[in-house]
Amino acid sequence: MKATIDRDGCIGCGLCAGTCPEIFSMADDGLAEVTAEITSDTESTAQEAADNCPVSVIHVE
């Protein structure tokens, strides 16, 4: 599985990095970024981060 972030819509709230730090982090510009591929161990927390994103810019495929 793979996560993507529409960084143009990201508001930099940090929820994704707080929920699933194995996959998401906050970049130097203050916006979220994907730092790893989703594994079976991180699938549920990555999806939780996507589901809870306040601006719905995280997509898990």
Side-chain angles (χ1 to χ4, degrees):
M1 296 187 87
K2 183 178 177 180
T4 58
I5 298 175
D6 175 7
R7 295 185 88 235
D8 290 335
C10 179
I11 60 172
C13 73
L15 184 86
C16 57
T19 302
C20 189
E22 302 86 0
I23 304 298
F24 306 103
S25 67
M26 301 308 291
D28 291 339
D29 63 2
L31 301 178
E33 65 183 354
V34 177
T35 57
E37 291 285 325
I38 297 171
T39 65
S40 59
D41 291 338
T42 58
E43 184 177 345
S44 65
T45 53
Q47 186 62 57
E48 180 182 347
D51 291 344
N52 291 323
C53 177
V55 288
S56 301
V57 295
I58 300 173
H59 307 283
V60 174
E61 303 173 21

